[in-house]
Amino acid sequence: MSVRRGPVTAVDDVSVTVPRGTVTGLLGPSGCGKTTLMRAVVGTQRRVSGRVEVLGRPAGSPELRGTVGYVTQAASVYTDLTVEQNVRYFARLVGGVDRADAAIDAVDLGSRRHHRAGALSGGQRSRVSIACALVARPRLLVLDEPTVGLDPVLRADLWRRFRALADDGVTLLVSSHVMDEAAHCDDLILMREGRVVAQLTPERLRSRTGRENLEDAFLALINEAGS
Ligand SMILES: Nc1ncnc2c1ncn2[C@@H]1O[C@H](COP(=O)(O)OP(=O)(O)O)[C@@H](O)[C@H]1O
Ligand SMILES: [Mg+2]
């Protein structure tokens, strides 16, 4: 698929497959097209050419609405509602009010459940956003830079929770512009300037480039592609 956004080709002739039940990392520098690709998968992106198929259906099909979760880069929660009110609201929309507490616990916000979302830190607010997506029990969860602004402890914890979801059969597509996050993923899609540089496992990325550090490995791969 390709996506035009204004004068730029934001996603340029990309062909990838995200395996079910895995944590797939979508990695690359700011502006390389991660959000645009995710929007195409979720079905909110205009001017997509080519073919995008999600769980056997064209991206954006009405039947997918209940099974695809999307956590946008900017937390989309009601700042004047408490954590619990936000999560219960989204839970009620999908008939899952009984799952609200588990979703709040899953993002470790139990102690903040009665705090207004507007009074939370940026990282906490993005975890409210994730909880609001989790109550729908999506089979595909698309998360756009969910770990930005989180301290290292919470970040590691969130990746553990993503892993647990994948072990339960959920497919996760998680973007980041920080290469060290790649170590938490089963599979990596590495992007640069709208194109996919490579799709491979972290282990394969290390062995192919001979670099232990994943950021060095990514740079080596780019140099290799450019030469
Ligand atoms: N609303 C928009 N209108 C026009 N161009 C856009 C818009 N949003 C993003 N772009 C362009 O599309 C490209 C990819 O952006 P994006 O998908 O947001 O990258 P990333 O998420 O990797 O930072 C960039 O060149 C960006 O300038
Ligand atoms: Mg983005």
Side-chain angles (χ1 to χ4, degrees), residues 117-129:
L120 300 174
S121 74
Q124 289 169 332
R125 211 172 306 137
S126 60
R127 282 187 285 146
V128 180
S129 234

Side-chain angles (χ1 to χ4, degrees), residues 147-195:
T147 56
V148 166
L150 295 190
D151 66 68
V153 175
L154 282 175
R155 190 180 295 185
D157 186 57
L158 208 52
W159 281 106
R160 267 195 297 279
R161 290 172 202 277
F162 296 162
R163 163 71 39 215
L165 284 168
D167 289 345
D168 278 344
V170 179
T171 304
L172 291 98
L173 180 62
V174 187
S175 71
S176 177
H177 66 271
V178 187
M179 258 321 271
D180 56 7
E181 310 256 72
H184 300 285
C185 303
D186 299 306
D187 205 28
L188 305 171
I189 297 170
L190 304 178
M191 285 188 79
R192 188 173 181 247
E193 294 175 355
R195 291 180 164 267

Side-chain angles (χ1 to χ4, degrees), residues 10-173:
V11 174
D12 190 1
D13 197 18
V14 157
S15 182
V16 285
T17 301
V18 177
R20 288 194 193 202
T22 63
V23 180
T24 296
L26 180 60
L27 292 137
S30 175
C32 73
K34 302 181 295 295
T35 297
T36 307
L37 187 146
M38 289 182 144
R39 284 166 51 92
V41 169
V42 175
T44 56
Q45 181 62 50
R46 297 175 68 190
R47 300 177 75 192
V48 178
S49 56
R51 196 168 60 93
V52 187
E53 198 176 280
V54 177
L55 302 168
R57 294 207 158 79
S61 299
E63 310 85 65
L64 291 172
R65 277 175 204 155
T67 50
V68 177
Y70 177 35
V71 179
T72 54
Q73 198 164 349
S76 36
V77 295
Y78 295 100
T79 50
D80 52 342
L81 298 184
T82 66
V83 170
E84 185 176 79
Q85 286 167 338
N86 267 290
V87 178
R88 285 181 149 258
Y89 172 71
F90 286 99
R92 199 160 285 138
L93 290 178
V94 295
V97 176
D98 51 328
R99 296 196 290 269
D101 286 347
I104 291 168
D105 290 340
V107 295
D108 201 23
L109 283 176
S111 63
R112 302 291 159 116
R113 64 173 63 241
H114 300 304
H115 290 225
R116 267 191 328 109
L120 300 174
S121 74
Q124 289 169 332
R125 211 172 306 137
S126 60
R127 282 187 285 146
V128 180
S129 234
I130 294 169
C132 292
L134 286 178
V135 286
R137 280 206 292 215
R139 289 173 59 210
L140 169 67
L141 190 52
V142 177
L143 299 133
D144 200 352
E145 305 215 19
T147 56
V148 166
L150 295 190
D151 66 68
V153 175
L154 282 175
R155 190 180 295 185
D157 186 57
L158 208 52
W159 281 106
R160 267 195 297 279
R161 290 172 202 277
F162 296 162
R163 163 71 39 215
L165 284 168
D167 289 345
D168 278 344
V170 179
T171 304
L172 291 98
L173 180 62

